[in-house]
Amino acid sequence: ATKIIALISKPPHPSVLPKVLAAARASGKPVVVNFLGRKERGEREGIHFTHTIEDTAEQVLQVSLGAGARTLPLTEAEFTRLVTGERAKLKPGQRFVRGLYSGGSLCDEAMDLLIEKFGGVYSNIAFAPEWALEDSGRSQGHCCVDLGEEEFTRGRPHPMIDPRLRQERLGREADDPEVAVVLLDIVIGYGSHDDPAGELAHSIRTAKAKAEAAGRYLSVVAHVCGTAQDPQGLDEQESQLRAVGAVVLPTNAQAARVAAAIGE
């Protein structure tokens, strides 16, 4: 009964890659592949290669339902309105995007898109050694941090369960006069915090107030990864973020593109 197979992963080791693709071709099914960070796109020998997780979802829909099937696109007019509105509130000198992620795959996707705009992004999971953070506990330049890495979770719960580490980091980013945007992922579902957006909403409100007290504006851009069927409720989680002034996008890729344009 399987109609289509989607593969999403970090880039495999070069010795493993051909084995994975051979198995995909041998399946006899349409296969959509996204090896995060690889630039290969298009169809080759029955395999559809995609760039982002968002592209993967769209390609799966198109293969399954036809060429007219789409994810939730952000129109050019909506994109311009969001970016222009946020940029107009920034002060001179505010230019950096700081991504605070609870998971590596969404962090990778965001970094890949930010790198297209800025040329390089510092991270504790950097794509290249020259962009590795000297201290994972301190951001520099345009930066995306995976707070779910072992260096942060050793001896404490994962940030999907315990938001305190990200709340503390959000407060520090608000203190930096060069920060324009904080980019966040909120992952809901079984095994996550009962109300992650509610917890982060308090910190977003506080961070924005700190920036305002210092004569600045802090833009917060977020994506909630989940569904209406998740126990936390997608609409409820998004509503709590919007209520404290966060810009909420339907996909992580769209959130990263908006954040990059605000910080451009």
Side-chain angles (χ1 to χ4, degrees), residues 163 167 186 188 193-205 224 232 236-241 244:
Q167 289 172 312
I186 293 87
I188 60 175
H193 189 280
D194 289 342
D195 184 19
E199 291 293 320
L200 276 173
H202 296 301
S203 299
I204 292 170
R205 183 186 291 111
V224 180
Q232 300 90 341
E236 173 62 21
Q237 293 292 293
E238 290 183 337
S239 295
Q240 292 187 81
L241 296 169
V244 294

Side-chain angles (χ1 to χ4, degrees), residues 78-93:
E78 291 170 332
F79 182 91
T80 301
R81 176 181 58 80
L82 285 175
V83 171
T84 302
E86 291 294 291
R87 289 186 69 179
K89 302 172 188 175
L90 298 175
K91 299 298 182 183

Side-chain angles (χ1 to χ4, degrees), residues 17-218:
L17 178 61
K19 299 176 183 178
V20 173
L21 296 181
R25 294 187 186 96
S27 70
K29 309 280 186 179
V31 180
V32 179
V33 175
N34 177 11
F35 295 136
L36 291 162
R38 287 176 62 92
K39 302 299 184 183
E40 188 171 7
R41 303 185 190 185
E43 183 180 355
R44 181 163 54 85
E45 298 181 57
I47 297 178
H48 303 267
F49 292 93
T50 58
H51 179 209
T52 65
I53 298 172
E54 179 186 67
D55 294 337
T56 305
E58 187 166 296
Q59 186 64 53
V60 167
L61 286 175
Q62 290 181 2
V63 173
S64 299
L65 304 176
R70 299 276 301 191
T71 53
L72 299 172
L74 190 66
T75 68
E76 186 174 345
E78 291 170 332
F79 182 91
T80 301
R81 176 181 58 80
L82 285 175
V83 171
T84 302
E86 291 294 291
R87 289 186 69 179
K89 302 172 188 175
L90 298 175
K91 299 298 182 183
Q94 288 188 268
R95 57 197 179 105
F96 290 136
V97 176
R98 300 281 165 82
L100 304 179
Y101 276 83
S102 61
S105 294
L106 293 176
C107 187
D108 277 347
E109 181 184 40
M111 281 198 298
D112 196 34
L113 293 169
L114 292 174
I115 287 170
E116 288 184 356
K117 178 69 71 174
F118 301 124
V121 174
Y122 289 100
S123 180
N124 61 326
I125 54 168
F127 292 152
E130 61 267 27
W131 294 102
L133 284 171
E134 296 178 8
D135 178 359
S136 296
R138 298 182 62 184
S139 300
Q140 59 186 99
H142 298 294
C143 180
C144 279
V145 180
D146 175 12
L147 295 169
E149 277 288 284
E150 186 176 346
E151 61 197 293
F152 294 113
T153 58
R154 191 181 295 112
R156 65 185 302 164
H158 191 278
M160 285 173 55
I161 302 169
D162 183 353
R164 288 176 296 176
L165 181 63
R166 185 151 60 164
Q167 289 172 312
E168 295 166 4
R169 187 71 173 253
L170 177 57
R172 294 204 300 273
E173 301 297 355
D175 288 332
D176 188 335
E178 292 188 295
V179 171
V181 191
V182 174
L183 178 61
L184 303 169
D185 69 329
I186 293 87
V187 181
I188 60 175
Y190 293 103
S192 290
H193 189 280
D194 289 342
D195 184 19
E199 291 293 320
L200 276 173
H202 296 301
S203 299
I204 292 170
R205 183 186 291 111
T206 300
K208 281 179 165 288
K210 287 174 67 177
E212 185 176 2
R216 292 178 279 108
Y217 175 75
L218 180 67

Side-chain angles (χ1 to χ4, degrees), residues 4-26:
I4 183 170
I5 298 169
L7 303 178
I8 301 176
S9 80
K10 307 289 178 63
H13 189 276
S15 66
V16 175
L17 178 61
K19 299 176 183 178
V20 173
L21 296 181
R25 294 187 186 96

